[in-house]
Amino acid sequence: MIKGLFVKKKKYATIPTGKVKQDVPEGIMSKCPECKHIMVTKELRKNLLVCQGCQYHYPMSSQERIAALIDEGTFTEYDADMISGNPLEFPDYVEKLEGDRKKTKINEAVVTGAGQIDGRDVTLAVMDSRFRMGSMGSVVGEKITRAIEHAIDKETPFIIFTASGGARMQEGVLSLMQMAKTSVALNRLSDKGLLFISIMTHPTTGGVSASFASVGDYNFAEPKALIGFAGRRIIEQTIRQELPDDFQTAEFLLKHGQLDRVIHRSEMKKTLSTLVKIHTEGRV
Amino acid sequence: MAAELEFERPIHELEKKIAELKSFMDEKDIDLTDEIKRLEEKLSNLENSTYSEMKPWDRVQIARHAERPTTLDYINYLFTDFIELHGDRLFGDDEAIVGGVAFYKELPITIIGHQRGKDTKENLRRNFGMPHPEGYRKALRLMKQAEKFNRPIFCFIDTKGAYPGKAAEERGQSEAIARNLVEMAGLTVPVICVVIGEGGSGGALALGVGNYVHMLENSTYSVISPEGAAAILWKDASMAKKAAESMKITAPDLKELGIIDEIIEEVKGGAHKDAKHQAELIDQVLEDSLHSLLSMSKEELINQRYEKYKKIGQFGFVNDSIVVK
């Protein structure tokens, strides 16, 4: 009991904002980048990549996220083979995309598809921060828009997990316009009375934060996720004062009325499942 | 006196020379008419070549010109009976965005636009045209009001971007911008947007989801300022000129990318040389756009906006060549 209290104290001693996170090492043991707690990697995965010591939420790949949420064997991916062009002819952009494709085994920064949560149909989009920092270019915008259109056609709820540094610089103003493109689709979804749930994970910033991520019927976030529009450094330079440590964390947004809930990963599937149930059962 | 822009220097030097010759001729009573005529021809050629081959960075300079006409200037020329309306009903009034009701040729309309200041004092009051969340929320309130009374909406875009401040984040900068995008998509009245100066990122787009989006010839529209892009790409903000070239931010670039509908011609040398004439040039395009939208039903207006944005982007498929849409 007393020991438990001490561990709990430690939980609040560190704040993850702004630090560079490492991927979970592939070794047998994994060391938490926050509290240095060492876990057997297999155990860590079983715990949905959450540190048992400090509850730090490790970044999740899109594949891991889908596995943790969608009923086994029910997921069908959409547009898996869609890839970016190089509209601004940016040097090195094609090579960088190619490198990320090899590294992540996915073709772009979002995976979309249809599946079931506890037997109920949903349309899902999961952003993947390992691919170009989850940044949104033409492909991310198009895949999300198409997924929303699928949700409209099949009259399912639309659920998105965001993880993004914002607009993709290398696609310039085309990236900016993806904010508008996904928004016109979301407006149509809303117009049909369909459910849209947004779950912001670390990090959700810039143009993604200022478009679909923030306009869910329900806006949720994972604990301590960095969420905001402008970068911390830019704000500090502009207003010439230091920002509080918890600035732009999920908890900060909750306090300022920007989120419905902060949801621990272990509660995620249950919460989403219940909400989907509330929206699909007993409708007249 | 307009601030001198770097690329215009040869023109100004020649103008000075002609003026000198003229006063010399008057003073000394020597006939230099031929020489002056020759130089004036040269000046005219130089102006034509300079202004017809403007580089992206030259356009950035014009778009940011301290004397470039603002939203309120154009309102003055284009509309009658303008009544400005204030406040978002939630927090405050953001003077970086102005809005109100007016007549456009006997038709009641709503007009909303970013507003820069004309001098330092006004710029402080208007936060250099960089809005806070309450600015976008005021804009949305006025759009919803326009929708209720079936008035077309004109949006003038002219901002460096959303204000990167602590309070702006606390009050939900992201949500305010995002909400406008989604709500503008569903407006049942015609929405016509014109980029009149700088179209900076999300702060610009929050007034920019329209049935038509036009740009003045020397305005810019970008995901990030050239300075910001240079800082990220080359860790050096002084490379802004290079970034302006590669980021494709000018009106001709956006037209080519299929993002905007029309480029509105500017007065030679930029809108600041003759705001009244510039307003006339804008007027022609506004009238045509509005005319084509007024015959559309509510549903058609929403669908037209949907199709317009749906087709923006370039992508391809594995084992396939890139499709340019």
Side-chain angles (χ1 to χ4, degrees):
Chain A
M1 184 67 187
I2 290 170
K3 200 182 165 202
L5 276 177
F6 277 113
V7 175
K8 219 174 176 189
K9 234 180 186 174
K10 215 172 177 183
K11 172 178 160 185
Y12 294 103
T14 45
I15 286 135
T17 7
K19 284 184 202 161
V20 180
K21 303 282 156 33
Q22 294 150 334
D23 284 341
V24 183
E26 286 306 314
I28 298 164
M29 306 296 280
S30 298
K31 188 172 167 186
C32 173
E34 284 301 318
C35 72
K36 313 297 174 208
H37 179 83
I38 293 171
M39 280 177 77
V40 179
T41 306
K42 230 172 156 180
E43 284 292 312
L44 180 64
R45 292 198 178 281
K46 229 164 113 186
N47 204 37
L48 299 173
L49 295 166
V50 176
C51 171
Q52 277 172 339
C54 68
Q55 305 302 313
Y56 166 69
H57 286 49
Y58 285 76
M60 248 185 170
S61 70
S62 44
Q63 296 98 325
E64 287 160 338
R65 182 77 65 183
I66 291 162
L69 192 76
I70 298 295
D71 301 345
E72 215 181 319
T74 66
F75 188 73
T76 320
E77 191 176 348
Y78 297 137
D79 305 308
D81 59 346
M82 196 188 292
I83 51 170
S84 297
N86 189 4
L88 268 53
E89 286 158 20
F90 242 88
D92 303 333
Y93 182 40
V94 173
E95 291 74 18
K96 280 177 176 163
L97 290 168
E98 189 55 44
D100 281 1
R101 263 180 232 134
K102 286 209 176 95
K103 189 181 78 187
T104 60
K105 309 274 190 291
I106 50 175
N107 284 322
E108 253 295 338
V110 68
V111 174
T112 59
Q116 294 188 333
I117 297 177
D118 292 333
R120 292 185 185 84
D121 287 329
V122 297
T123 306
L124 185 73
V126 182
M127 301 187 81
D128 199 315
S129 64
R130 297 170 308 156
F131 196 104
R132 300 279 89 216
M133 266 311 288
S135 58
M136 173 160 66
S138 295
V139 174
V140 171
E142 178 70 15
K143 283 178 82 169
I144 291 172
T145 302
R146 288 187 183 196
I148 297 167
E149 288 176 337
H150 281 295
I152 293 169
D153 287 344
K154 294 163 70 183
E155 299 187 335
T156 72
F158 178 63
I159 299 174
I160 190 161
F161 282 82
T162 61
S164 175
R168 191 171 294 172
M169 291 303 133
Q170 291 91 339
E171 291 187 31
V173 71
L174 283 172
S175 303
L176 182 72
M177 291 299 148
Q178 302 310 308
M179 294 167 66
K181 180 174 176 167
T182 49
S183 295
V184 296
L186 283 177
N187 181 266
R188 189 171 274 186
L189 182 87
S190 179
D191 208 41
K192 305 280 179 202
L194 294 166
L195 171 65
F196 169 38
I197 305 174
S198 166
I199 304 103
M200 295 173 241
T201 73
H202 182 81
T204 296
T205 58
V208 167
S209 157
S211 57
F212 48 83
S214 295
V215 286
D217 296 303
Y218 303 94
N219 288 343
F220 299 134
E222 283 197 330
K224 297 189 181 174
L226 171 73
I227 304 161
F229 181 67
R232 185 188 184 94
R233 199 164 40 88
I234 305 274
I235 298 172
E236 281 183 334
Q237 280 167 7
T238 307
I239 63 172
R240 294 177 197 285
Q241 68 185 70
E242 265 193 55
L243 295 163
D245 282 345
D246 72 340
F247 187 66
Q248 293 181 327
T249 59
E251 292 72 15
F252 175 90
L253 266 82
L254 184 72
K255 198 168 78 186
H256 286 91
Q258 303 299 326
L259 292 175
D260 289 287
R261 293 183 79 83
V262 175
I263 301 175
H264 192 283
R265 203 172 277 166
S266 62
E267 294 290 316
M268 190 61 77
K269 179 163 182 169
K270 193 170 148 250
T271 309
L272 294 180
S273 175
T274 307
L275 264 181
V276 170
K277 187 175 156 190
I278 284 172
H279 280 263
T280 49
E281 281 183 17
R283 294 183 84 182
V284 275
Chain B
M1 176 67 198
E4 187 182 87
L5 300 177
E6 194 191 328
F7 75 97
E8 290 181 316
R9 197 165 293 151
I11 294 174
H12 290 144
E13 274 166 12
L14 200 53
E15 281 172 346
K16 226 163 101 186
K17 203 167 165 191
I18 293 169
E20 274 170 16
L21 278 183
K22 277 181 178 167
S23 69
F24 188 75
M25 188 168 83
D26 292 345
E27 269 173 42
K28 309 278 173 170
D29 203 19
I30 308 168
D31 184 17
L32 293 168
T33 324
D34 286 349
E35 176 68 5
I36 289 171
K37 203 178 155 199
R38 198 180 59 78
L39 284 178
E40 276 175 342
E41 250 170 55
K42 196 177 161 192
L43 176 67
S44 165
N45 288 337
L46 184 64
E47 278 182 340
N48 285 339
S49 63
T50 304
Y51 293 130
S52 66
E53 289 165 27
M54 270 196 293
K55 303 273 187 302
W57 187 245
D58 302 338
R59 293 191 198 275
V60 169
Q61 300 307 306
I62 291 185
R64 291 174 176 176
H65 201 289
E67 287 165 29
R68 189 166 177 83
T70 64
T71 295
L72 286 174
D73 292 320
Y74 290 127
I75 287 177
N76 188 28
Y77 289 120
L78 290 166
F79 308 113
T80 50
D81 289 337
F82 174 64
I83 299 173
E84 188 179 350
L85 304 166
H86 295 273
D88 68 346
R89 301 291 186 274
L90 299 163
F91 178 81
D93 184 41
D94 185 349
E95 296 192 76
I97 289 181
V98 295
V101 290
F103 280 106
Y104 177 63
K105 304 176 186 184
E106 275 116 54
L107 189 73
I109 55 101
T110 286
I111 162 82
I112 300 161
H114 300 97
Q115 184 63 40
R116 290 180 290 112
K118 293 273 182 184
D119 51 43
T120 309
K121 203 175 154 198
E122 194 192 351
N123 258 323
L124 288 174
R125 185 158 65 85
R126 300 199 182 277
N127 201 29
F128 297 83
M130 298 166 85
H132 279 74
E134 47 274 23
Y136 306 116
R137 289 177 181 139
K138 168 169 73 176
L140 183 58
R141 182 177 75 81
L142 296 180
M143 289 180 205
K144 287 294 192 183
Q145 185 190 64
E147 185 175 49
K148 175 178 172 182
F149 296 107
N150 204 25
R151 287 194 291 262
I153 300 166
F154 293 110
C155 290
F156 287 171
I157 295 166
D158 185 15
T159 182
K160 290 185 185 306
Y163 183 66
K166 179 168 175 265
E169 296 285 325
E170 286 171 345
R171 296 201 287 273
Q173 179 103 276
S174 291
E175 193 271 346
I177 294 172
R179 183 67 56 200
N180 278 22
L181 306 183
V182 175
E183 293 296 332
M184 285 186 86
L187 289 170
T188 56
V189 292
V191 181
I192 300 166
C193 309
V194 183
V195 185
I196 58 169
E198 284 182 275
S201 191
L205 191 62
L207 299 185
V209 183
N211 295 96
Y212 288 115
V213 179
H214 306 307
M215 278 176 81
L216 295 199
E217 193 184 336
N218 296 315
S219 61
T220 59
Y221 205 163
S222 61
V223 69
I224 187 170
S225 70
E227 288 79 4
I232 290 174
L233 294 167
W234 301 292
K235 315 272 178 242
D236 183 0
S238 67
M239 303 279 277
K241 197 172 170 176
K242 190 181 165 196
E245 310 271 337
S246 50
M247 292 295 284
K248 296 200 179 169
I249 61 174
T250 67
D253 290 330
L254 268 88
K255 175 89 178 146
E256 205 184 306
L257 289 167
I259 294 171
I260 59 159
D261 296 286
E262 274 188 61
I263 300 170
I264 301 176
E265 186 197 344
E266 278 196 34
V267 175
K268 194 160 79 180
H272 59 282
K273 305 262 184 191
D274 188 347
K276 188 164 181 278
H277 185 211
Q278 190 58 55
E280 287 162 10
L281 294 167
I282 295 173
D283 186 29
Q284 289 166 19
V285 178
L286 287 188
E287 192 175 347
D288 290 347
S289 298
L290 190 60
H291 185 74
S292 72
L293 294 173
L294 283 175
S295 59
M296 291 167 80
S297 69
K298 291 176 177 185
E299 201 182 11
E300 283 170 338
L301 286 167
I302 294 170
N303 287 341
Q304 189 264 12
R305 235 175 271 137
Y306 191 97
E307 295 307 324
K308 175 182 168 60
Y309 287 95
K310 167 74 182 161
K311 64 174 195 277
I312 299 177
Q314 290 186 16
F315 53 87
F317 294 90
V318 181
N319 304 326
D320 201 0
S321 55
I322 296 295
V323 187
V324 179
K325 284 187 76 180

